[in-house]
Amino acid sequence: MGIPTVAIIGRPNVGKSSLLNALAGEMISIVEPSAGVTRDRISTIIRRAEQYFELIDTGGYGIVDSDQLSSHIEQQILRAIESANLVVFMVDIRDGLVPLDEKIARLLRKHELDVIGVANKADSARMFSAAGEFSKLGFGDFLCVSATNNINKAVLLDKILGKLESLESTRPVEPVMKIAIIGKRNTGKSTLVNAMVGSERVIVSETPGTTRDAVDVRFEKDGKTIVVIDTAGIRKKSKMADSIEFYSYVRATRSVRRADVVLFMIDATVPVSQVDKKLARFITEEHKSCILVVNKWDLAKDIAVTGDYEDYLTKMLPGLKAVPIAFTTATEAKNVQSVLDLAAEIFKQTTTWIPTAKLNKAIETIKAEKTGATKRGKGGWPKIYYATQIATNPITILMFVNRPGLFEENYRRFITGRLQSMLPIAEVPIRLLARSHRNRV
């Protein structure tokens, strides 16, 4: 990617996620008082003037994780260390020097890394003198900061950029497509991400709810940069155990909004649930281009055939009936390449500009069919005079009509379905707007 990498390393709950958010200037990592919220590597690109670097937030080193994921978390930390040009080693000034800090210091020395020591939670200058004891760790004086109060944030950024000055720092390539993977817990989302990218980029575990944050993973395919967003598994609101799960849900829905294509993962081994139906409604309401990815098909193919299962999904998720369906076994990377190719095709459809003449020819055909519309008393019949496309992703079509109030939901759905069948946009949603022709400018 041509830009340096900086990893924030430290024991649990010293404020690593808060520091990433502070330096990025936005909420990227979940910040929660409980230790061990960050499990995967969360990263973001930081820019100042013409200098860029990738900042990585890691899980707390030495965490005793309630879901027995400690070894996975440590593997992710080690991968971050191995790929880093610079490490920000973070300690908690209020706790003072603890044995786990010394253990991390030994690990960093072993890897012979360039390290900036940072003592966090120094909320006032009176606390700064307490940072002296951290010099015993062998990385010089630790800079006192407060990630939550932005104390010495600019000083730290200067130090980071100073250390990276000699390294090449080109503007990162803008991704051609962002893909969000969503679904309920334990459907295989992280396994699919790793199969796409070809590496253990996100933690994969049999424990439901392993991914708590939305993790952006950049990778190259056919010379193009793609970002795939792995999101937390969703469950019923009534069963959300804590605020971490609530934040995870909010992040997942935000990821859907910023994605170009959504991969909605369905577990073939269990019936479609209320959570699946809720996510389908959300995707429909947001007019998001989507692929239904039926995972764990190896475990279900003996009890169902693809055609029957497609009919079942259409019945259970009627709002997504035009959406293409892919059957995968993510653990064996089966059909993963075809899912990526399908995502590229869906992206092509949703970014299509339809020539105005071609669009209005389709509209004339719909009008001539004289079906779908209903007369509304004295209001008369709905009439379309002219239509034009005003946006892509989602494809947005503005119709100039006699009276917008006559265009009921059923008729709009009928028009949308006919446009999808006549134009090269059969599998993506259309946002249909109606405006009185008298207001036309």
Side-chain angles (χ1 to χ4, degrees):
M1 201 161 60
I3 66 169
T5 301
V6 179
I8 307 171
I9 306 291
R11 59 189 176 81
N13 217 24
V14 292
K16 297 180 295 297
S17 298
S18 295
L19 183 67
L20 178 124
N21 291 338
L23 291 173
E26 59 178 311
M27 281 288 285
I28 291 167
S29 272
I30 290 176
V31 177
E32 250 278 317
S34 50
V37 172
T38 304
R39 288 168 168 176
D40 292 299
R41 286 172 288 157
I42 313 295
S43 71
T44 188
I45 305 292
I46 306 283
R47 173 191 177 183
R48 196 167 80 175
E50 289 311 303
Q51 260 189 294
Y52 299 85
F53 64 91
E54 182 182 13
L55 185 63
I56 300 173
D57 177 21
T58 60
Y61 188 84
I63 182 77
V64 178
D65 190 83
S66 58
D67 295 324
Q68 286 77 53
L69 290 166
S70 304
S71 63
H72 290 294
I73 295 166
E74 290 201 10
Q75 277 177 350
Q76 292 295 325
I77 294 166
L78 290 171
R79 284 204 176 91
I81 288 173
E82 284 159 11
S83 67
N85 301 103
L86 174 67
V87 165
V88 173
F89 177 17
M90 189 176 240
V91 295
D92 185 333
I93 200 165
R94 294 178 186 173
D95 292 344
L97 185 58
V98 300
L100 197 47
D101 294 330
E102 292 170 337
K103 186 179 177 183
I104 295 166
R106 286 194 294 275
L107 177 77
L108 295 177
R109 277 198 297 275
K110 182 179 155 192
H111 285 267
E112 296 180 344
L113 286 158
D114 204 357
V115 174
I116 295 174
V118 170
N120 190 33
K121 305 185 188 177
D123 297 330
S124 75
R126 287 196 303 274
M127 302 172 76
F128 287 11
S129 60
E133 65 174 324
F134 297 114
S135 59
K136 296 174 192 168
L137 294 170
F139 300 109
D141 291 336
F142 273 57
L143 175 68
C144 292
V145 302
S146 171
T148 52
N149 295 332
N150 285 334
I151 292 171
N152 275 343
K153 181 178 88 170
V155 177
L156 175 58
L157 197 51
D158 283 341
K159 281 189 84 163
I160 291 170
L161 292 168
K163 292 264 193 185
L164 301 176
E165 225 165 14
S166 60
L167 300 173
E168 180 195 359
S169 175
T170 54
R171 186 188 182 95
V173 177
E174 282 299 313
V176 292
M177 176 170 57
K178 290 192 187 83
I179 302 170
I181 304 182
I182 70 158
K184 62 182 185 227
R185 291 157 45 113
N186 216 25
T187 53
K189 296 182 293 300
S190 296
T191 306
L192 183 66
V193 173
N194 288 336
M196 283 177 170
V197 179
S199 71
E200 289 281 318
R201 180 58 182 84
V202 287
I203 293 170
V204 176
S205 163
E206 290 303 310
T207 309
T210 301
T211 303
R212 289 172 164 181
D213 220 322
V215 182
D216 281 24
V217 181
R218 294 170 73 99
F219 66 102
E220 300 283 321
K221 182 183 179 290
D222 302 330
K224 291 172 180 171
T225 300
I226 295 169
V227 168
V228 60
I229 310 161
D230 184 23
T231 64
I234 308 301
R235 60 176 174 171
K236 271 186 180 176
K237 221 170 198 175
S238 60
K239 290 187 179 174
M240 286 186 189
D242 49 33
S243 57
I244 295 169
E245 284 198 10
F246 174 73
Y247 289 140
S248 298
Y249 174 74
V250 170
R251 291 291 163 81
T253 54
R254 192 189 295 170
S255 299
V256 168
R257 288 193 178 104
R258 66 189 177 94
D260 298 309
V261 178
V262 176
L263 303 186
F264 180 12
M265 285 194 81
I266 302 285
D267 185 339
T269 65
V270 295
V272 168
S273 67
Q274 287 304 314
V275 171
D276 292 320
K277 290 176 181 177
K278 181 182 178 182
L279 286 171
R281 278 195 300 274
F282 181 72
I283 292 165
T284 306
E285 285 162 8
E286 292 293 318
H287 295 91
K288 279 294 170 183
S289 297
C290 175
I291 299 167
L292 277 169
V293 179
V294 180
N295 195 32
K296 307 183 188 180
W297 189 242
D298 57 317
L299 304 175
K301 64 179 189 288
D302 294 335
I303 52 172
V305 293
T306 54
D308 289 345
Y309 198 85
E310 284 173 3
D311 292 343
Y312 167 67
L313 286 181
T314 301
K315 183 180 164 192
M316 299 304 286
L317 308 171
L320 299 179
K321 67 180 177 198
V323 163
I325 300 171
F327 294 85
T328 61
T329 304
T331 51
E332 296 169 24
K334 271 190 187 168
N335 281 351
V336 170
Q337 184 57 49
S338 60
V339 169
L340 274 172
D341 293 340
L342 187 53
E345 166 58 27
I346 293 299
F347 182 61
K348 184 181 167 190
Q349 286 186 37
T350 196
T351 51
T352 298
W353 279 101
I354 302 152
T356 303
K358 190 174 182 179
L359 174 60
N360 281 285
K361 190 177 176 188
I363 290 288
E364 288 303 318
T365 302
I366 294 167
K367 283 158 65 175
E369 288 169 353
K370 293 192 171 155
T371 53
T374 52
K375 191 176 180 182
R376 293 273 303 272
K378 291 180 181 176
W381 292 90
K383 289 179 190 169
I384 308 167
Y385 297 106
Y386 176 78
T388 185
Q389 184 178 346
I390 58 172
T392 61
N393 200 11
I395 286 174
T396 307
I397 291 169
L398 176 62
M399 304 180 298
F400 292 97
V401 303
N402 57 340
R403 295 178 69 174
L406 298 175
F407 286 75
E408 295 173 320
E409 195 55 43
N410 283 344
Y411 189 37
R412 286 178 190 243
R413 266 200 295 270
F414 169 76
I415 295 168
T416 299
R418 293 296 290 121
L419 289 173
Q420 284 171 319
S421 66
M422 286 188 275
L423 300 167
I425 49 173
E427 298 165 306
V428 295
I430 297 171
R431 201 160 156 252
L432 205 57
L433 307 176
R435 183 188 293 174
S436 170
H437 71 299
R438 294 187 185 89
N439 298 338
R440 190 173 158 195
V441 286

